Short mmCIF file of all heavy atoms in Angstrom, two decimals:
data_model
loop_
_atom_site.label_atom_id
_atom_site.label_comp_id
_atom_site.label_asym_id
_atom_site.label_seq_id
_atom_site.Cartn_x
_atom_site.Cartn_y
_atom_site.Cartn_z
N MET A 93 18.62 21.54 5.96
CA MET A 93 17.88 20.87 4.91
C MET A 93 18.83 20.22 3.79
O MET A 93 19.81 20.80 3.55
CB MET A 93 16.96 21.85 4.18
CG MET A 93 16.16 21.17 3.05
SD MET A 93 15.19 22.20 2.05
CE MET A 93 14.02 22.88 3.13
N THR A 94 18.55 18.94 3.52
CA THR A 94 19.29 18.33 2.49
C THR A 94 18.42 18.04 1.31
O THR A 94 17.28 17.53 1.47
CB THR A 94 19.94 17.03 3.03
OG1 THR A 94 20.64 17.28 4.16
CG2 THR A 94 20.71 16.34 1.98
N VAL A 95 18.93 18.28 0.15
CA VAL A 95 18.11 18.02 -1.10
C VAL A 95 18.99 17.07 -2.03
O VAL A 95 20.10 17.43 -2.30
CB VAL A 95 17.75 19.26 -1.92
CG1 VAL A 95 17.04 18.99 -3.18
CG2 VAL A 95 17.00 20.21 -0.99
N GLN A 96 18.45 15.99 -2.38
CA GLN A 96 19.13 15.10 -3.36
C GLN A 96 18.30 14.91 -4.59
O GLN A 96 17.00 14.80 -4.43
CB GLN A 96 19.37 13.75 -2.65
CG GLN A 96 20.31 13.78 -1.59
CD GLN A 96 20.46 12.45 -0.90
OE1 GLN A 96 19.47 11.83 -0.51
NE2 GLN A 96 21.64 11.92 -0.73
N ILE A 97 18.82 15.02 -5.78
CA ILE A 97 18.05 14.94 -7.00
C ILE A 97 18.75 13.84 -7.90
O ILE A 97 20.01 13.87 -8.11
CB ILE A 97 18.08 16.25 -7.70
CG1 ILE A 97 17.46 17.32 -6.81
CG2 ILE A 97 17.35 16.30 -9.02
CD1 ILE A 97 17.55 18.78 -7.34
N TRP A 98 17.93 13.06 -8.50
CA TRP A 98 18.30 12.07 -9.51
C TRP A 98 17.57 12.41 -10.72
O TRP A 98 16.22 12.40 -10.79
CB TRP A 98 18.04 10.61 -9.08
CG TRP A 98 18.76 10.28 -7.88
CD1 TRP A 98 19.99 9.66 -7.89
CD2 TRP A 98 18.46 10.33 -6.54
NE1 TRP A 98 20.43 9.43 -6.55
CE2 TRP A 98 19.44 9.87 -5.81
CE3 TRP A 98 17.25 10.88 -5.90
CZ2 TRP A 98 19.39 9.87 -4.37
CZ3 TRP A 98 17.31 10.93 -4.46
CH2 TRP A 98 18.39 10.34 -3.67
N HIS A 99 18.18 12.74 -11.86
CA HIS A 99 17.56 13.20 -13.01
C HIS A 99 17.52 12.06 -14.13
O HIS A 99 18.50 11.28 -14.20
CB HIS A 99 18.36 14.41 -13.66
CG HIS A 99 17.70 15.01 -14.78
ND1 HIS A 99 16.42 15.54 -14.81
CD2 HIS A 99 18.17 15.20 -16.03
CE1 HIS A 99 16.22 16.03 -16.08
NE2 HIS A 99 17.16 15.87 -16.81
N ARG A 100 16.51 12.05 -14.97
CA ARG A 100 16.29 11.13 -16.03
C ARG A 100 16.20 9.69 -15.61
O ARG A 100 16.75 8.82 -16.16
CB ARG A 100 17.42 11.33 -17.17
CG ARG A 100 17.40 12.70 -17.77
CD ARG A 100 18.31 12.87 -18.92
NE ARG A 100 18.28 11.84 -19.94
CZ ARG A 100 17.32 11.70 -20.86
NH1 ARG A 100 16.31 12.61 -20.97
NH2 ARG A 100 17.33 10.72 -21.78
N LEU A 101 15.51 9.48 -14.54
CA LEU A 101 15.22 8.11 -14.18
C LEU A 101 14.00 7.60 -14.83
O LEU A 101 13.21 8.47 -15.33
CB LEU A 101 14.94 8.06 -12.61
CG LEU A 101 16.08 8.36 -11.72
CD1 LEU A 101 15.71 8.26 -10.27
CD2 LEU A 101 17.21 7.32 -11.93
N HIS A 102 13.79 6.32 -14.96
CA HIS A 102 12.64 5.82 -15.61
C HIS A 102 11.65 5.23 -14.56
O HIS A 102 12.08 4.19 -13.85
CB HIS A 102 13.09 4.79 -16.65
CG HIS A 102 13.89 5.45 -17.74
ND1 HIS A 102 14.30 4.72 -18.84
CD2 HIS A 102 14.35 6.65 -17.97
CE1 HIS A 102 15.01 5.48 -19.67
NE2 HIS A 102 15.04 6.63 -19.03
N ALA A 103 10.51 5.60 -14.67
CA ALA A 103 9.42 5.02 -13.72
C ALA A 103 9.13 3.59 -14.15
O ALA A 103 9.10 3.37 -15.30
CB ALA A 103 8.17 5.91 -13.60
N LYS A 104 8.84 2.81 -13.22
CA LYS A 104 8.40 1.44 -13.44
C LYS A 104 6.84 1.47 -13.51
O LYS A 104 6.24 1.44 -12.54
CB LYS A 104 8.96 0.54 -12.34
CG LYS A 104 8.59 -1.00 -12.59
CD LYS A 104 9.24 -1.86 -11.52
CE LYS A 104 8.97 -3.36 -11.94
NZ LYS A 104 9.58 -4.25 -10.92
N THR A 105 6.29 1.31 -14.67
CA THR A 105 4.90 1.31 -14.81
C THR A 105 4.30 -0.03 -14.57
O THR A 105 5.01 -1.05 -14.79
CB THR A 105 4.51 1.79 -16.28
OG1 THR A 105 5.06 0.88 -17.22
CG2 THR A 105 5.03 3.24 -16.56
N GLN A 106 3.09 -0.01 -14.09
CA GLN A 106 2.42 -1.29 -13.72
C GLN A 106 1.66 -1.76 -14.90
O GLN A 106 1.19 -1.01 -15.78
CB GLN A 106 1.48 -1.11 -12.52
CG GLN A 106 2.22 -0.69 -11.30
CD GLN A 106 1.29 -0.59 -10.11
OE1 GLN A 106 0.17 -0.91 -10.20
NE2 GLN A 106 1.81 -0.22 -9.00
N GLN A 107 1.44 -3.08 -15.01
CA GLN A 107 0.59 -3.69 -16.01
C GLN A 107 -0.61 -4.33 -15.43
O GLN A 107 -0.54 -5.12 -14.63
CB GLN A 107 1.40 -4.76 -16.71
CG GLN A 107 0.80 -5.17 -18.08
CD GLN A 107 1.80 -5.82 -18.99
OE1 GLN A 107 2.99 -5.63 -18.78
NE2 GLN A 107 1.35 -6.40 -20.07
N HIS A 108 -1.84 -3.75 -15.83
CA HIS A 108 -3.05 -4.21 -15.25
C HIS A 108 -3.82 -5.15 -16.28
O HIS A 108 -4.06 -4.64 -17.41
CB HIS A 108 -3.95 -3.12 -14.89
CG HIS A 108 -3.34 -2.21 -13.77
ND1 HIS A 108 -3.29 -2.58 -12.48
CD2 HIS A 108 -2.69 -0.99 -13.87
CE1 HIS A 108 -2.62 -1.65 -11.79
NE2 HIS A 108 -2.29 -0.72 -12.60
N ASP A 109 -4.18 -6.29 -15.91
CA ASP A 109 -4.91 -7.19 -16.89
C ASP A 109 -6.22 -6.60 -17.07
O ASP A 109 -6.95 -6.12 -16.26
CB ASP A 109 -5.07 -8.64 -16.25
CG ASP A 109 -3.71 -9.29 -16.13
OD1 ASP A 109 -2.84 -9.02 -16.92
OD2 ASP A 109 -3.58 -10.18 -15.20
N GLY A 110 -6.64 -6.67 -18.40
CA GLY A 110 -8.05 -6.23 -18.74
C GLY A 110 -8.20 -4.75 -18.95
O GLY A 110 -9.29 -4.26 -19.16
N HIS A 111 -7.14 -4.04 -18.95
CA HIS A 111 -7.20 -2.52 -19.09
C HIS A 111 -6.42 -2.10 -20.39
O HIS A 111 -5.95 -1.01 -20.40
CB HIS A 111 -6.68 -1.81 -17.84
CG HIS A 111 -7.52 -1.95 -16.69
ND1 HIS A 111 -8.73 -1.27 -16.53
CD2 HIS A 111 -7.38 -2.65 -15.55
CE1 HIS A 111 -9.27 -1.59 -15.44
NE2 HIS A 111 -8.43 -2.45 -14.81
N GLY A 112 -6.31 -2.99 -21.35
CA GLY A 112 -5.61 -2.62 -22.61
C GLY A 112 -4.17 -2.44 -22.48
O GLY A 112 -3.62 -1.72 -23.23
N SER A 113 -3.58 -3.12 -21.58
CA SER A 113 -2.11 -2.99 -21.35
C SER A 113 -1.32 -4.18 -21.82
O SER A 113 -0.27 -4.54 -21.22
CB SER A 113 -1.75 -2.61 -19.91
OG SER A 113 -2.23 -3.68 -19.07
N ARG A 114 -1.74 -4.80 -22.87
CA ARG A 114 -1.00 -5.91 -23.36
C ARG A 114 0.27 -5.66 -24.17
O ARG A 114 1.06 -6.54 -24.41
CB ARG A 114 -2.01 -6.85 -24.15
CG ARG A 114 -3.23 -7.31 -23.40
CD ARG A 114 -3.75 -8.61 -23.92
NE ARG A 114 -5.07 -8.94 -23.36
CZ ARG A 114 -5.28 -9.30 -22.09
NH1 ARG A 114 -4.31 -9.32 -21.22
NH2 ARG A 114 -6.47 -9.57 -21.65
N GLY A 115 0.34 -4.49 -24.69
CA GLY A 115 1.51 -4.11 -25.45
C GLY A 115 2.69 -3.69 -24.62
O GLY A 115 2.53 -3.83 -23.28
N PRO A 116 3.71 -3.20 -25.18
CA PRO A 116 4.90 -2.94 -24.36
C PRO A 116 4.62 -1.69 -23.43
O PRO A 116 3.76 -0.79 -23.80
CB PRO A 116 6.00 -2.56 -25.43
CG PRO A 116 5.26 -2.19 -26.66
CD PRO A 116 3.98 -3.06 -26.53
N ARG A 117 5.17 -1.72 -22.28
CA ARG A 117 4.88 -0.63 -21.37
C ARG A 117 5.65 0.61 -21.73
O ARG A 117 6.85 0.47 -22.22
CB ARG A 117 5.34 -1.10 -19.91
CG ARG A 117 4.40 -2.24 -19.41
CD ARG A 117 4.59 -2.42 -17.92
NE ARG A 117 5.53 -3.66 -17.92
CZ ARG A 117 5.99 -4.07 -16.78
NH1 ARG A 117 5.80 -3.50 -15.63
NH2 ARG A 117 6.81 -5.07 -16.77
N PRO A 118 5.25 1.79 -21.59
CA PRO A 118 5.88 3.03 -21.86
C PRO A 118 7.05 3.27 -20.97
O PRO A 118 7.04 2.99 -19.82
CB PRO A 118 4.83 4.08 -21.84
CG PRO A 118 3.88 3.58 -20.78
CD PRO A 118 3.84 2.12 -20.98
N ILE A 119 8.07 3.99 -21.54
CA ILE A 119 9.18 4.48 -20.68
C ILE A 119 8.85 5.93 -20.28
O ILE A 119 8.53 6.70 -21.05
CB ILE A 119 10.53 4.43 -21.52
CG1 ILE A 119 10.81 2.98 -21.85
CG2 ILE A 119 11.60 5.08 -20.70
CD1 ILE A 119 12.09 2.80 -22.66
N VAL A 120 8.83 6.14 -18.94
CA VAL A 120 8.39 7.47 -18.37
C VAL A 120 9.63 8.03 -17.73
O VAL A 120 9.88 7.75 -16.56
CB VAL A 120 7.23 7.28 -17.41
CG1 VAL A 120 6.85 8.70 -16.96
CG2 VAL A 120 6.10 6.62 -18.09
N PRO A 121 10.37 8.91 -18.40
CA PRO A 121 11.55 9.53 -17.76
C PRO A 121 11.12 10.65 -16.82
O PRO A 121 10.11 11.26 -17.10
CB PRO A 121 12.39 10.15 -18.91
CG PRO A 121 11.41 10.33 -19.96
CD PRO A 121 10.32 9.25 -19.82
N GLY A 122 11.87 10.88 -15.68
CA GLY A 122 11.44 11.87 -14.83
C GLY A 122 12.63 12.21 -13.88
O GLY A 122 13.72 11.74 -14.01
N THR A 123 12.38 13.08 -12.91
CA THR A 123 13.33 13.53 -11.93
C THR A 123 12.74 13.08 -10.54
O THR A 123 11.62 13.38 -10.25
CB THR A 123 13.49 15.00 -12.01
OG1 THR A 123 13.97 15.32 -13.27
CG2 THR A 123 14.53 15.49 -11.02
N LEU A 124 13.68 12.53 -9.71
CA LEU A 124 13.29 12.12 -8.37
C LEU A 124 14.03 13.07 -7.42
O LEU A 124 15.21 13.36 -7.57
CB LEU A 124 13.68 10.73 -8.16
CG LEU A 124 13.32 10.08 -6.72
CD1 LEU A 124 11.80 10.01 -6.62
CD2 LEU A 124 13.93 8.75 -6.64
N VAL A 125 13.20 13.68 -6.47
CA VAL A 125 13.80 14.67 -5.41
C VAL A 125 13.51 14.03 -4.09
O VAL A 125 12.40 13.65 -3.76
CB VAL A 125 13.08 16.01 -5.71
CG1 VAL A 125 13.68 16.98 -4.64
CG2 VAL A 125 13.34 16.55 -7.05
N ARG A 126 14.56 14.10 -3.24
CA ARG A 126 14.45 13.71 -1.84
C ARG A 126 14.76 14.87 -0.94
O ARG A 126 15.87 15.41 -1.05
CB ARG A 126 15.39 12.51 -1.55
CG ARG A 126 15.30 12.00 -0.14
CD ARG A 126 16.35 11.03 0.05
NE ARG A 126 16.42 10.59 1.44
CZ ARG A 126 17.32 9.84 2.06
NH1 ARG A 126 18.38 9.51 1.38
NH2 ARG A 126 17.26 9.57 3.30
N LEU A 127 13.83 15.28 -0.08
CA LEU A 127 14.04 16.43 0.86
C LEU A 127 14.06 15.85 2.29
O LEU A 127 13.17 15.19 2.72
CB LEU A 127 12.96 17.41 0.73
CG LEU A 127 12.76 18.05 -0.59
CD1 LEU A 127 11.46 18.90 -0.64
CD2 LEU A 127 13.88 18.92 -0.94
N THR A 128 15.18 16.20 3.05
CA THR A 128 15.22 15.89 4.41
C THR A 128 15.51 17.09 5.22
O THR A 128 16.27 17.94 4.84
CB THR A 128 16.29 14.74 4.69
OG1 THR A 128 17.52 15.26 4.25
CG2 THR A 128 16.00 13.44 4.01
N VAL A 129 15.02 17.13 6.43
CA VAL A 129 15.24 18.31 7.38
C VAL A 129 15.66 17.66 8.67
O VAL A 129 15.25 16.56 9.10
CB VAL A 129 14.05 19.24 7.51
CG1 VAL A 129 13.84 19.97 6.21
CG2 VAL A 129 12.94 18.48 8.05
N ASP A 130 16.50 18.39 9.45
CA ASP A 130 16.92 17.88 10.88
C ASP A 130 15.71 18.00 11.85
O ASP A 130 15.52 17.15 12.60
CB ASP A 130 18.06 18.77 11.38
CG ASP A 130 19.23 18.51 10.46
OD1 ASP A 130 19.43 17.36 9.89
OD2 ASP A 130 20.09 19.38 10.29
N ARG A 131 15.06 19.12 11.74
CA ARG A 131 13.88 19.28 12.69
C ARG A 131 12.96 20.37 12.14
O ARG A 131 13.35 21.24 11.28
CB ARG A 131 14.35 19.73 14.08
CG ARG A 131 15.01 21.01 14.20
CD ARG A 131 15.38 21.40 15.65
NE ARG A 131 15.81 22.77 15.72
CZ ARG A 131 15.11 23.83 15.82
NH1 ARG A 131 13.78 23.70 15.94
NH2 ARG A 131 15.53 25.06 15.90
N LEU A 132 11.72 20.34 12.56
CA LEU A 132 10.69 21.40 12.19
C LEU A 132 10.38 22.24 13.44
O LEU A 132 10.40 21.71 14.60
CB LEU A 132 9.48 20.69 11.71
CG LEU A 132 9.72 19.86 10.41
CD1 LEU A 132 8.37 19.13 10.09
CD2 LEU A 132 9.89 20.80 9.32
N PRO A 133 10.23 23.54 13.25
CA PRO A 133 9.90 24.38 14.38
C PRO A 133 8.59 24.04 14.96
O PRO A 133 7.61 23.72 14.35
CB PRO A 133 9.82 25.81 13.72
CG PRO A 133 9.70 25.55 12.26
CD PRO A 133 10.25 24.23 11.94
N GLY A 134 8.60 23.98 16.36
CA GLY A 134 7.44 23.66 17.17
C GLY A 134 7.04 22.18 17.16
O GLY A 134 5.94 21.84 17.68
N ARG A 135 7.83 21.32 16.69
CA ARG A 135 7.62 19.89 16.64
C ARG A 135 8.55 19.15 17.47
O ARG A 135 9.83 19.38 17.42
CB ARG A 135 7.64 19.28 15.20
CG ARG A 135 6.74 20.03 14.23
CD ARG A 135 5.28 19.58 14.40
NE ARG A 135 4.46 20.23 13.51
CZ ARG A 135 3.33 19.66 12.90
NH1 ARG A 135 3.13 18.39 13.16
NH2 ARG A 135 2.68 20.37 12.07
N SER A 136 8.06 18.07 18.27
CA SER A 136 8.98 17.32 19.09
C SER A 136 9.42 16.02 18.38
O SER A 136 10.36 15.38 18.72
CB SER A 136 8.39 17.00 20.50
OG SER A 136 7.13 16.36 20.29
N ARG A 137 8.54 15.53 17.42
CA ARG A 137 8.88 14.28 16.81
C ARG A 137 9.79 14.56 15.55
O ARG A 137 9.84 15.64 14.97
CB ARG A 137 7.60 13.61 16.32
CG ARG A 137 6.71 14.39 15.33
CD ARG A 137 5.37 13.64 15.15
NE ARG A 137 4.52 14.44 14.38
CZ ARG A 137 4.33 14.36 13.09
NH1 ARG A 137 4.82 13.46 12.42
NH2 ARG A 137 3.41 15.11 12.51
N ALA A 138 10.47 13.53 15.15
CA ALA A 138 11.33 13.54 13.95
C ALA A 138 10.55 13.79 12.67
O ALA A 138 9.48 13.03 12.49
CB ALA A 138 12.15 12.31 13.90
N PRO A 139 10.93 14.61 11.80
CA PRO A 139 10.23 14.84 10.55
C PRO A 139 10.48 13.72 9.57
O PRO A 139 11.44 12.88 9.68
CB PRO A 139 10.85 16.11 10.00
CG PRO A 139 12.22 16.20 10.61
CD PRO A 139 12.17 15.57 11.92
N LYS A 140 9.52 13.48 8.69
CA LYS A 140 9.66 12.47 7.67
C LYS A 140 10.31 12.95 6.45
O LYS A 140 10.40 14.10 6.22
CB LYS A 140 8.24 11.92 7.28
CG LYS A 140 7.43 11.37 8.43
CD LYS A 140 6.04 10.88 7.97
CE LYS A 140 5.31 10.14 9.06
NZ LYS A 140 3.96 9.73 8.65
N ILE A 141 10.84 11.97 5.64
CA ILE A 141 11.50 12.32 4.45
C ILE A 141 10.41 12.59 3.34
O ILE A 141 9.44 11.84 3.29
CB ILE A 141 12.45 11.22 3.99
CG1 ILE A 141 13.59 11.03 4.99
CG2 ILE A 141 13.03 11.41 2.63
CD1 ILE A 141 14.42 9.79 4.77
N LEU A 142 10.56 13.63 2.56
CA LEU A 142 9.60 13.91 1.46
C LEU A 142 10.25 13.53 0.16
O LEU A 142 11.36 13.96 -0.29
CB LEU A 142 9.36 15.44 1.46
CG LEU A 142 8.46 15.90 0.42
CD1 LEU A 142 6.96 15.32 0.59
CD2 LEU A 142 8.27 17.39 0.48
N TRP A 143 9.53 12.63 -0.59
CA TRP A 143 9.98 12.17 -1.99
C TRP A 143 9.05 12.82 -2.96
O TRP A 143 7.80 12.78 -2.74
CB TRP A 143 9.92 10.69 -2.03
CG TRP A 143 10.89 9.93 -1.27
CD1 TRP A 143 10.73 9.45 0.03
CD2 TRP A 143 12.19 9.60 -1.66
NE1 TRP A 143 11.91 8.78 0.40
CE2 TRP A 143 12.78 8.89 -0.59
CE3 TRP A 143 12.93 9.74 -2.87
CZ2 TRP A 143 14.09 8.31 -0.68
CZ3 TRP A 143 14.26 9.22 -2.94
CH2 TRP A 143 14.82 8.61 -1.82
N LEU A 144 9.57 13.42 -4.03
CA LEU A 144 8.81 13.98 -5.11
C LEU A 144 9.23 13.32 -6.41
O LEU A 144 10.45 13.26 -6.64
CB LEU A 144 9.00 15.46 -5.19
CG LEU A 144 8.68 16.29 -3.82
CD1 LEU A 144 9.11 17.70 -4.03
CD2 LEU A 144 7.19 16.20 -3.56
N TRP A 145 8.29 13.05 -7.27
CA TRP A 145 8.63 12.46 -8.58
C TRP A 145 8.30 13.66 -9.63
O TRP A 145 7.31 14.22 -9.62
CB TRP A 145 7.73 11.31 -8.95
CG TRP A 145 7.89 10.88 -10.35
CD1 TRP A 145 7.02 10.99 -11.33
CD2 TRP A 145 9.00 10.17 -10.93
NE1 TRP A 145 7.48 10.47 -12.50
CE2 TRP A 145 8.68 9.95 -12.27
CE3 TRP A 145 10.22 9.80 -10.42
CZ2 TRP A 145 9.65 9.30 -13.15
CZ3 TRP A 145 11.09 9.15 -11.29
CH2 TRP A 145 10.82 8.90 -12.54
#
């Protein structure tokens, strides 16, 4: 298993017309985590990468 972490990243927030988002968009700091595994027990297909915010 491989774990990669990026700390204090800023999410890119979306701006939707008509939903009161005419002002500046907020800065949302967070941590991004990427988990990868070589194989899963009992599975023949390749596992997917798991991204967590």
Side-chain angles (χ1 to χ4, degrees):
M93 177 188 296
T94 303
V95 179
Q96 294 176 305
I97 299 174
W98 295 269
H99 184 60
R100 298 188 49 79
L101 293 180
H102 296 185
K104 185 175 182 181
T105 57
Q106 296 183 5
Q107 191 157 349
H108 299 283
D109 294 332
H111 291 286
S113 60
R114 300 210 190 288
R117 292 188 264 178
I119 296 174
V120 183
T123 301
L124 185 64
V125 179
R126 179 183 176 197
L127 300 172
T128 56
V129 294
D130 295 330
R131 64 177 189 85
L132 294 173
R135 303 281 178 144
S136 60
R137 61 185 168 103
K140 295 181 179 179
I141 297 172
L142 178 63
W143 290 92
L144 302 171
W145 173 254

